[in-house]
Amino acid sequence: MSIKIKSVTDIINKYDHFIFDMDGVIWTGGQFIESGVNGVKHLIEQGKSVYFLTNNSTKSRQSYFEILSNIDIKTDLEHIYSSSYLTAVYLKMNNYKKAFNLGVTGITEELSALGIKTRDSEEFKDNQYVTYDIFNSIQPDEDIDCVVSGHNPQFNYYMLCYASLCIQKGCKFVAANPDSYIKVQNRLMPAGGCIQAILERATGQKSLLVGKPSPTALEVIMKQNKIDDKSKVVMIGDNPETDIEFGWNCGIDTILVTTGVTSKEQAENVKTTYVCDHLYI
Amino acid sequence: MSIKIKSVTDIINKYDHFIFDMDGVIWTGGQFIESGVNGVKHLIEQGKSVYFLTNNSTKSRQSYFEILSNIDIKTDLEHIYSSSYLTAVYLKMNNYKKAFNLGVTGITEELSALGIKTRDSEEFKDNQYVTYDIFNSIQPDEDIDCVVSGHNPQFNYYMLCYASLCIQKGCKFVAANPDSYIKVQNRLMPAGGCIQAILERATGQKSLLVGKPSPTALEVIMKQNKIDDKSKVVMIGDNPETDIEFGWNCGIDTILVTTGVTSKEQAENVKTTYVCDHLYI
C-alpha cells in the first residue's frame, strides 16, 4: 500500500538525494510540467542533491544540461545521467571499440566522448526497400563489436537488417532505452523499448539493459557522488516498469507521479513508496 | 522421439492430404529446393491432395499460383492458403470493413478480393522522420476498424505510429505472419513476426493470430475440401514454431524438413512425427 503525498515537501526531511526521471515528470510530449519543474527547483533551493536519470537516449547529457538551464534549473553536467551515458560507461569498461547505433545522436555523442567509435543508423534513413539482393549485399563493418538500441523516430527495416546481421556475427547487444512509449497529448508514441523488442525478435537474442530498471545507474551515481547510505536516496518517476521497478531493484524508496504515462487510477495498483499528483504547488 | 525418413515416399500410403509450407520447403531465399519441388510433384502424380499453406503475407494466392505453375507444379488456386487469404476470411466473417495494412500488397489483394477496404502503409514509405508535431498530426481514418501486420521490407517508424494510433482508438489487431525470420543464404532476415512484436510492444496489445500455428487454417482447409478424417492429413514444414506447432495444435502428424530455418542438429530436439533431410531424391 503506497502513501499518498500532496507535495514533495511532505517527505523532504527524509531524504538527501533525489533522483528525477525527466520525461513525464519535468516535461511531457514537448511541454513542461509546472509542478515538476517547481519541485526540482525547490529541492535545489533547499540544498538537496538532485540527479537526473533518463532512459531517453536521443539527447546527450550536454543537451539536457542546456534544456534544464533554460528553465532556470541550476545543476551540474555531472548530475545528469542518461542511458546513453551509462551505455558508454558500460561499453568502455568492457573494452568494446565500435558500435552500430540503432538509436540517434545522443548515443553517438556519449560514446564518442568516451572514445568509442560508431556507425550510425542515420546513414540508412533513406534506404526504404530491402530485397533479398540488398539484404545479401549488407556486410556489417568488421570492427563493429556491439549494437546499441534506443529510441529512433527515423527507424526503418534496413537499419533492423543491419543490426540483426551485426548480432548474428556475434556482436554484443545493449538496449539503452527499454521504455515502450512516451505520452504525447494523451496518445502513446512508440519509444526505444519497441526498437529493442523488434531486434530481440529478429535475432532471438535478449539485450543487455543498461538504463532503468537495471540497477547499474544507482551504482554509478552512488560511486561518483560518494553516497553511502541508500536510505537517504529516493527515485521520482512516472513509469512503473522503469522508474519504480528501478527503485525496487536498487532497494530505494520511490515516488510515482501521475503527470506522465501512469494515470491516477492506474497508480492505485502500483507498488511504490509514495504516489503524488503534483510534485510541488 | 521423431522418426527419421529418407523421402516422402516412405510414408506416402499413410496419408491422403499433404499440406506444404513453401518457404524453406519448396524454396528458400529466392532459390528453389529441388527435393522439395520434386516431392510435391511426385505426390500430385500419385493422385494425392496437396495444399500449400504459407505465413508469408507479401504475395497473393494468385502470385503463388503463378510461381508454382512456372515450375510445373500443377495445382488449383483454391489449394493455396496464405495467411493473407486466411486474414481476409477472418475479417469478412467478423464483419470488419477497412484495415490499415502494415504489411504489403499480398494482404491488400486478398482483403480487396473479399470486399474489405485497406489503407496501405506503402503510402508512408517515404516518411522518414517523425517529430512530436508530425505524430500529433496523424489522425487515422475514422472508418478503419482493424490493423493487419505482416512482413514488410519497407517498414518504418511512421507506419508503426499510424498502426499504433489505430489500435489505441480501438481497432482489432490481426497478425497475418508471426514468423520471426526467413533464411537468406544462411543469414536470418527479419520477417512478419518482428513487425507483430514491435506493434505489440508499442501498444501493450496482443495480436490475434490467423496464420500458423493457429489451427484456423486447418478448419478452413477441411471445410472447403470436405476432409473429415484428420488422421489422413500431414503437415510438411521447416519451422518448429509455426509449421510443427501448427500440427500439434491441430492434432495432425508433421514432417520437419531441414532445408529451411532448422538445421539437422536443431531438428533432433524438435517434437515432430517425422524428420526428413530431402523430401524426394
Side-chain angles (χ1 to χ4, degrees), chain A residues 126 128-129 154 157 168 188 190, chain B residues 126 128-129 154 157 188 190:
Chain A
D126 296 318
Q128 289 106 326
Y129 201 84
Q154 58 194 14
Y157 184 79
Q168 288 182 55
L188 304 177
Chain B
D126 297 318
Q128 289 109 323
Y129 201 86
Q154 59 195 15
Y157 183 79
L188 303 176

Side-chain angles (χ1 to χ4, degrees), chain A residues 16 42 50 88 107 110 118 122 139 159 161 183 185 189 200 205 220 245 248 259 270:
Chain A
D16 296 331
H42 180 73
V50 172
I107 291 171
E110 295 298 348
T118 54
E122 159 93 16
Q139 294 297 343
M159 297 173 189
C161 289
K183 202 165 197 172
Q185 292 191 0
M189 187 174 184
E200 287 187 346
Q205 301 270 333
V220 176
E245 188 69 18
W248 280 105
T259 43
V270 178

Side-chain angles (χ1 to χ4, degrees), chain A:
Chain A
M1 184 69 186
S2 55
I3 300 164
K4 182 101 183 150
I5 55 173
K6 281 195 181 161
S7 159
V8 74
T9 54
D10 291 3
I11 50 92
I12 196 163
N13 294 325
K14 204 172 168 199
Y15 305 99
D16 296 331
H17 305 278
F18 294 77
I19 306 178
F20 275 85
D21 177 38
M22 292 188 274
D23 209 328
V25 180
I26 303 178
W27 52 70
T28 182
Q31 315 251 308
F32 289 108
I33 300 167
E34 202 181 336
S35 62
V37 173
N38 290 338
V40 173
K41 283 184 184 171
H42 180 73
L43 290 168
I44 294 174
E45 282 161 16
Q46 298 298 309
K48 299 292 180 180
S49 298
V50 172
Y51 307 90
F52 302 92
L53 175 58
T54 178
N55 273 354
N56 187 329
S57 55
T58 59
K59 294 186 183 73
S60 64
R61 290 190 299 162
Q62 182 63 38
S63 305
Y64 284 114
F65 179 75
E66 286 161 18
I67 296 170
L68 293 169
S69 297
N70 284 341
I71 49 169
D72 286 326
I73 289 180
K74 290 169 187 43
T75 185
D76 299 317
L77 188 62
E78 285 67 33
H79 278 205
I80 299 170
Y81 291 87
S82 67
S83 54
S84 314
Y85 170 70
L86 293 163
T87 300
V89 169
Y90 171 84
L91 293 176
K92 184 75 182 173
M93 269 170 43
N94 290 281
N95 213 23
Y96 289 100
K97 305 288 188 203
K98 184 173 180 182
F100 177 63
N101 177 14
L102 198 51
V104 291
T105 52
I107 291 171
T108 305
E109 289 170 34
E110 295 298 348
L111 266 57
S112 172
L114 294 194
I116 299 157
K117 291 181 197 163
T118 54
R119 179 144 187 198
D120 296 321
S121 56
E122 159 93 16
E123 190 188 320
F124 304 131
K125 72 181 167 55
D126 296 318
N127 297 36
Q128 289 106 326
Y129 201 84
V130 182
T131 59
Y132 287 145
D133 283 345
I134 292 173
F135 182 77
N136 279 330
S137 74
I138 305 176
Q139 294 297 343
D141 302 14
E142 284 198 2
D143 50 351
I144 289 176
D145 52 16
C146 55
V147 173
V148 180
S149 70
H151 180 46
N152 187 345
Q154 58 194 14
F155 177 75
N156 66 29
Y157 184 79
Y158 189 102
M159 297 173 189
L160 174 66
C161 289
Y162 195 100
S164 154
L165 290 170
C166 288
I167 292 169
Q168 288 182 55
K169 82 177 178 80
C171 284
K172 183 80 182 176
F173 172 16
V174 179
N177 178 355
D179 292 18
S180 299
Y181 29 71
I182 36 180
K183 202 165 197 172
V184 182
Q185 292 191 0
N186 277 323
R187 307 194 300 183
L188 304 177
M189 187 174 184
C194 299
I195 314 289
Q196 173 197 16
I198 196 169
L199 187 54
E200 287 187 346
R201 181 72 168 259
T203 60
Q205 301 270 333
K206 275 277 173 199
S207 55
L208 177 97
L209 192 60
V210 175
K212 298 170 282 184
S214 156
T216 307
L218 189 69
E219 291 165 29
V220 176
I221 292 174
M222 289 182 73
K223 194 172 168 191
Q224 292 188 344
N225 299 282
K226 301 186 174 52
I227 303 170
D228 51 17
D229 183 1
K230 269 195 210 179
S231 74
K232 290 292 182 183
V233 183
V234 64
M235 172 75 211
I236 300 113
D238 69 317
N239 191 325
E241 290 169 15
T242 51
D243 302 315
I244 306 308
E245 188 69 18
F246 171 77
W248 280 105
N249 292 342
C250 294
I252 60 170
D253 288 348
T254 51
I255 303 176
L256 176 68
V257 294
T258 58
T259 43
V261 295
T262 306
S263 67
K264 290 182 192 184
E265 294 69 34
Q266 289 167 331
E268 287 173 15
N269 299 316
V270 178
K271 207 175 155 196
T272 174
T273 322
Y274 309 102
V275 176
C276 184
D277 293 333
H278 303 281
L279 264 182
Y280 189 76
I281 306 169

Side-chain angles (χ1 to χ4, degrees), chain B residues 65-167:
Chain B
F65 179 76
E66 285 161 20
I67 297 170
L68 293 168
S69 297
N70 285 342
I71 50 171
D72 287 327
I73 290 179
K74 291 171 187 39
T75 186
D76 300 317
L77 188 62
E78 285 68 33
H79 278 205
I80 300 170
Y81 291 87
S82 68
S83 54
S84 312
Y85 170 69
L86 293 164
T87 299
V89 170
Y90 171 84
L91 293 176
K92 184 75 182 171
M93 268 170 45
N94 290 280
N95 213 23
Y96 288 99
K97 305 289 186 204
K98 184 173 180 181
F100 178 63
N101 177 14
L102 199 51
V104 293
T105 52
I107 291 171
T108 304
E109 289 169 35
E110 295 299 350
L111 267 56
S112 173
L114 294 193
I116 299 158
K117 292 181 196 164
T118 54
R119 178 143 190 200
D120 296 321
S121 56
E122 161 91 17
E123 188 185 322
F124 305 131
K125 72 181 166 57
D126 297 318
N127 298 35
Q128 289 109 323
Y129 201 86
V130 182
T131 59
Y132 287 144
D133 283 345
I134 292 173
F135 182 77
N136 279 330
S137 74
I138 306 176
Q139 293 297 344
D141 301 15
E142 282 198 4
D143 51 350
I144 290 177
D145 52 16
C146 55
V147 172
V148 181
S149 70
H151 181 46
N152 187 345
Q154 59 195 15
F155 176 75
N156 65 29
Y157 183 79
Y158 189 101
M159 299 174 188
L160 174 66
C161 289
Y162 195 99
S164 153
L165 289 170
C166 289
I167 292 169

Side-chain angles (χ1 to χ4, degrees), chain B residues 44-63:
Chain B
I44 293 173
E45 283 161 15
Q46 298 298 309
K48 299 292 181 181
S49 299
V50 172
Y51 308 90
F52 302 92
L53 175 59
T54 178
N55 274 354
N56 187 330
S57 54
T58 60
K59 295 185 183 71
S60 65
R61 289 190 300 161
Q62 183 61 39
S63 306

